[in-house]
């Protein structure tokens, strides 16, 4: 099971290139970065991690810029988003960013896709909150049209693109590995089975009960093999990691690093190294 990390990188934390070098030198599998474009001050949406909202959420670096910095100083470290708020992006521009980063890194990118929790942030991007899941689904399909080997047009409910020349292409045909984040349930599992490679849950609570349901939906959709399971934002313990690997079949786990100074982060890496 690959041991990767995630962190809310900000203008007050360790820099992405330094962190990436330290991760690769120590033998960690990957670096995943989250995304918030901004946090409206008049926030009414309760934070899922509890209020008051931690300071780093309003200061996060752009994940694609941060991961590009990480890609240039590493050779093996997997790179990913945890998660990309696809509904808040122009899908044509986002498709270019994703393909470029994947090409630059030699195919090391995993695209973690999420639907968001901050209603006010999404509203500033013109997102209809009630339809954000359908919007994300549509934008993923549009991006895959641009990633196709030959020019393909796409005409969806929320957007369209003419058959176009669009390069570079992601290294893997059809685009990088795509994981969908969110709470367990029939709607989420149907989205995963339709257009993703697996599930990116936050933590491990309830996974023992939920994973069999995901597998049933996956098989009913005619998908082969098994969906990837990649628990994220995990605070590790030996028993917890064994449970993910041996009982749930997780192929990767993403450990949460503190959004602290360079010294804080390196100390945390020293502690997490015993799980490698």
């Amino acid at each position: 099971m690959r041991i990767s990390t995630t962190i809310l990188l900000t203008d007050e934390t360790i820099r992405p290139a330094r962190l990436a070098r330290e991760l690769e030198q120590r033998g960690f599998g990957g670096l995943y970065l989250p995304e918030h474009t901004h946090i409206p001050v008049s926030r009414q949406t309760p934070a899922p991690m509890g209020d008051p909202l931690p300071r780093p959420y309003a200061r996060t670096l752009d994940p694609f810029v941060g991961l590009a910095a990480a890609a240039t100083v590493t050779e093996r470290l997997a790179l990913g988003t945890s998660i990309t708020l696809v509904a808040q992006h122009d899908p044509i521009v986002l498709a270019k960013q994703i393909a470029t980063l994947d090409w630059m890194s030699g195919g090391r990118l995993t695209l973690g896709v999420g639907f968001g929790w901050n209603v006010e942030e999404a509203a500033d991007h013109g997102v209809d909150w009630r339809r954000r899941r359908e919007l994300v689904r549509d934008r993923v399909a549009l991006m895959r049209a641009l990633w196709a080997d030959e020019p393909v047009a796409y005409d969806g409910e929320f957007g369209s693109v003419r058959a176009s020349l669009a390069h570079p292409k992601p290294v893997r045909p059809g685009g990088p590995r795509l994981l969908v984040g969110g709470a367990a349930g029939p709607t989420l599992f149907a989205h995963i089975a339709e257009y993703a490679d697996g599930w990116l849950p936050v933590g491990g609570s309830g996974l023992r009960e939920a994973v069999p349901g995901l597998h049933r939906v996956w098989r009913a959709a005619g998908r082969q093999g098994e969906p990837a399971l990649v628990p994220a934002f995990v605070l590790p313990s030996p028993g917890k990691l064994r449970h993910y690997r041996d009982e749930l079949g997780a192929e990767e786990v993403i450990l949460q690093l503190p959004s602290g100074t360079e010294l804080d982060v390196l100390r945390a890496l020293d502690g997490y190294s015993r799980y490698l």
Side-chain angles (χ1 to χ4, degrees), residues 18 26 32 47 52 79 89 172 211:
R18 175 68 194 280
R26 293 163 186 254
Y32 287 71
L79 309 169
H89 287 268
R172 191 181 82 161
V211 167

Side-chain angles (χ1 to χ4, degrees), residues 114-236:
F115 307 107
W117 60 266
N118 192 317
V119 178
E120 293 76 41
E121 177 185 1
D124 284 348
H125 288 279
V127 175
D128 180 347
W129 189 252
R130 297 166 300 175
R131 305 212 63 202
R132 69 193 188 284
R133 293 177 183 271
E134 292 79 10
L135 175 59
V136 168
R137 173 183 175 273
D138 193 73
R139 288 188 169 170
V140 168
L142 189 153
M143 291 193 294
R144 285 205 163 124
L146 290 168
W147 295 334
D149 290 337
E150 299 296 332
V152 176
Y154 178 77
D155 187 11
E157 181 180 0
F158 298 94
S160 61
V161 65
R162 296 172 176 83
S164 302
L165 301 174
H167 293 268
K169 301 294 184 186
V171 172
R172 191 181 82 161
R177 182 176 72 152
L178 192 154
L179 305 175
V180 176
T187 300
L188 179 77
F189 292 166
H191 280 273
I192 292 172
E194 180 183 357
Y195 63 81
D197 298 299
W199 185 20
L200 189 71
V202 174
S205 177
L207 288 184
R208 188 195 304 271
E209 296 76 21
V211 167
L214 171 59
H215 286 187
R216 286 193 296 271
V217 174
W218 184 267
R219 290 191 297 269
R223 299 290 299 271
Q224 301 298 311
E226 293 185 349
L229 176 66
V230 183
F233 292 93
V234 170
L235 298 176

Side-chain angles (χ1 to χ4, degrees), residues 21 30 65 130 138 150 256 263:
R21 284 193 295 263
V65 176
R130 297 166 300 175
D138 193 73
E150 299 296 332
Q256 182 172 359
L263 182 59

Side-chain angles (χ1 to χ4, degrees), residues 67-68 70-72 74-80 98-110 171 176:
L67 291 172
T72 62
T74 56
E75 296 179 352
R76 302 175 305 278
L77 189 73
L79 309 169
I98 292 167
T100 300
L101 178 56
D102 191 61
W103 175 81
M104 284 175 54
S105 66
R108 289 185 275 152
L109 181 64
T110 290
V171 172

